[in-house]
Amino acid sequence: MAENDVKYTLDIKDLEVQFKTVDGVVRAVNGIDLSIEKGKTLGLVGETGAGKTTTALSILRLVPDPPGEITGGTITLEGKDLFAFSEKEMETIRGSQVSMIFQDPMTSLNPVMTVGDQIAEVIQLHEKIDQKGALEKAKAMLEMVGIPGNRSTEYPHQFSGGMKQRVIIAMALVCNPHLLIADEPTTALDVTIQAQVLDLMQKLREKYGTSMLMITHDLGIVAEVCDDVSIMYAGRIVEHGTLEDIFESTSHPYTEGLFGSLPNIENRQEQLKPIPGLMPDPTDLPSGCTFHPRCKYCKDICKSRVPAVTRLSDTHLVACLAYEEGTGVTLGGDGNE
Amino acid sequence: MENKKAKKRSMAMEVCQRLAKNKMAMLGLAILIVLVLCAVFADVIADYETKVVAQNIANRLKGPSAEHWFGTDEFGRDIFARIIHGSRVSLVVGLISVSVSLIAGGCLGAFAGFYGGKIDNVIMRVMDIFLAVPSTLLAMTIVAALGSSLINVMLAIGISGIPNYARIVRAAVMSVKDQEFVESSRAIGASSMTTIFREIIPNCMAPIIVQVTLSVASAILSTASLSFIGLGVQPPDPEWGAMLSGGRNFLRDAVHLTLFPGLAIVITILALNLLGDGLRDALDPRLKQ
Amino acid sequence: MSDVLLDVRNLKKYFNTPNGVLHAVDDVTFTLERGKTLGVVGESGCGKSTTGRAILRLHEPTSGEVFFEGKDVTKVSNQEMRHLRSQMQIIFQDPFASLNPRKTVSEIIGEPLRLYKVHKNKKEQQEHVLELMELVGLSERLVNTYPHELDGGRRQRIGIARALAMRPKFIVCDEPVSALDVSIQAQILNLLKQLQHDLGLTYIFITHDLSVVNYFSDEIMVMYLGKVVEHASSEKLFEHPTHPYTKALLSAIPVPKLGEKKKRILLKGEITSPIDPKPGCRFAPRCEYAKPECFERTPELKENEPGHFVACHFSGEF
């Protein structure tokens, strides 16, 4: 068992997170398993409200409480149980062992501090180093992400969106974290800038051997930067596998729907096949398989029985009744409707 | 839930329903209704000639008793009766003068904020000139020029409140006018007036309502100051502010002379504030739970 | 025999800013046939949204002409413009900001009907609103809800229904799906295509998402810092991109397919803003092929081959 623990930078088992609001209990994350091998990148794909960001915040133990509460499961970071740490210990872990890049570069930086000071502050929080040394290190880090070191005395508003995101990446990587969580890091950026930033993240990650959890809704980005992929829907992982598993032998109807929703850039005549309906209300999740109201292959049994995880191969997992024996559910064709 | 949505419901009904759920707002509303009833039926409660204006020196400065609930003033008049009759003046002054400031100031502010540029500059500089003169002094000047009567007092107080409304409405309009739904209203061919009054103003209600509830209070107090220096309500007619300031000389010996008119003003303002807060929340469909 | 609905000539829109004159749209010329879709792509600040708004006179154009069915939109009186607005509509990007939060769905969709006094009484108008809701796939029970109670996809359907209320011939779609989730995005794109087919609509489709524009448009116009750099049919543009910027843009799209780790053209630097631009190609500072001439002379938009316009001095050479 011990060997296994070290193999994974992050190992999440059966995580459950709920938010207690006046409208009822929001079941944001409902028993998910995730693991990232050392140095690998896992893509967590899903739409708004799937519970991606909540999962990420749970890893940092930053789920706002109240109303949020981690109600079950374990998170193991490099073999150590995350929930056993005190709040004080957690503070030293955030930023040094795990760090996070947020979606919006415009609001993640403090507007009244120079970028150099902001990076130096992170260094000083986690290392015994004097102000001058920290600033030097901050400059070196800025150079690393392609920003001239002499701009370290400038304020965030003097940088463009892409540059700000570079600063944030510098800040996240400066203490050599073992795990980097990137929550839609390029969604707010233009395509050509996105290409630059993704390229940079890849290079730095390879250089430091950092593991990464890449949260995104863009399957194009996943294809370029990830090793493994987990597809999340309504707080559950519906399909997990390597890039090849997911892209070449797509198994879950939701994953299939996601691909069908994307315009094919090479064949413009091809019709889009969107998933009908909407994301379910997290306070009132459908019974059985949560995807059944939108699934074109839905059978009666899907409405009552929660699908278990079926192992299709060593790496490929799927949670759909069609892969369980004796359910009578079949995929393929155009389904029932 | 789903069925409820399908039901027809008018905007006004819905606002009332939401307001009804707010206990504090209902309390405010209840107090206001009582005050209005007092004002309307003042003559039934206490006769004007015999109780409110007739002096009775033998009875002066008596404390509260079964006969005179709130005691008597320095001329032996019943304070309870005077407060009841005074509510007529105070409520009307509050209502009319605030309407004057709200309509005039609101329109000026809305145009200034919406059109910007030169129109904005001209309107707001004029407002600045008004603001530079203390509002009581401004009101005094206006009343002095127009002659002292209750109507002129209301007008004067209303005019002196215009700049405040203009500033508040302008700021609110400017924060809303750049939002896309305003542009979309122009895109479907709405005129500027339609855009201002149907799209922008309903989204600026919160600060305006707060200002209204506050300025009703200050209008009542301004009337009192004007009455005190002889420009407002003329003695022996009762008015809360005038009673309050008239009772100052007897503060040490007969506290009830100031206490009861003061309480009347405080309760009115409190009621207006409670109702105003509730109304602000009820008018915003986003706050609905 | 082509049936030109919209003819835009030398459209310019400048904004005065404290730092100088911002050339948001600089000399944009194109024609659009009835029933077709023109995709306008580019990155933030390239002037694509301003172009759409200047055509509708939501921003008053600085100069240039916009002929809609032969009538110059920039010269008509306010009264006539009001009438024209019923023919020319816009769908906005942010389906939340573009709907008045204080109005119900039926009030929002009914607003244009009320403004143009289409119906004699409320009942008829309400029936029309319900028809429009059905047209865009909104269920009838949502008629009295407020926008904030609905999700992005449904809000965008409200925006579409409002745009369709006056039976317009032409609609500017300003990033209509950018704020939506992938599966909802596909629903809205299909809806817009269906409506175009059923109602014979003509679209200008503004977006930064190249895979969407390729799916949706007949022609594509690529803009950079207020200038059109390339304009061609969708097939041509994707098969033979000619302008260096178009090439870089196309190569930067992450493709959801494996085994196609194509060579990316990584542009150096970032987009600046076109404030008081110097003469010369605006893309030159980021262009890997830039020659001295590019910094001196502004390239004209030339027709390289029939229907394929490029603004580059050396477009034939690489």
Side-chain angles (χ1 to χ4, degrees), chain B residues 52-211:
Chain B
V52 178
V53 293
Q55 303 188 358
N56 180 359
I57 302 298
N59 240 342
R60 70 191 293 258
L61 298 180
K62 288 268 163 59
S65 64
E67 195 188 344
H68 301 289
W69 290 357
F70 292 174
T72 57
D73 68 2
E74 71 267 38
F75 299 112
R77 296 174 295 203
D78 182 48
I79 292 180
F80 176 71
R82 287 178 69 79
I83 284 179
I84 296 293
H85 278 268
S87 66
R88 287 186 165 178
V89 179
S90 296
L91 288 182
V92 170
V93 168
L95 198 73
I96 306 270
S97 61
V98 168
S99 313
V100 170
S101 342
L102 176 65
I103 293 170
C107 290
L108 286 172
F111 292 145
F114 185 74
Y115 292 106
K118 272 189 195 135
I119 296 178
D120 182 25
N121 245 323
V122 170
I123 294 178
M124 290 327 282
R125 290 304 80 76
V126 173
M127 290 299 119
D128 284 349
I129 294 171
F130 271 77
L131 269 182
V133 185
S135 60
T136 315
L137 190 64
L138 185 66
M140 274 165 59
T141 319
I142 298 169
V143 176
L146 297 176
S148 74
S149 76
L150 194 58
I151 298 286
N152 289 346
V153 167
M154 293 189 287
L155 210 58
I157 294 172
I159 291 172
S160 65
I162 289 176
N164 281 325
Y165 281 94
R167 292 208 87 88
I168 288 167
V169 174
R170 172 177 174 265
V173 166
M174 284 175 72
S175 72
V176 173
K177 78 160 180 182
D178 284 331
Q179 291 190 26
E180 251 179 11
F181 67 82
V182 175
E183 201 176 9
S184 71
S185 143
R186 293 222 297 131
I188 55 174
S191 64
S192 300
M193 288 298 138
T194 316
T195 309
I196 292 177
F197 289 106
R198 284 186 64 92
E199 308 286 337
I200 298 181
I201 295 288
N203 283 290
C204 304
M205 288 316 277
I208 297 177
I209 289 175
V210 172
Q211 178 68 13

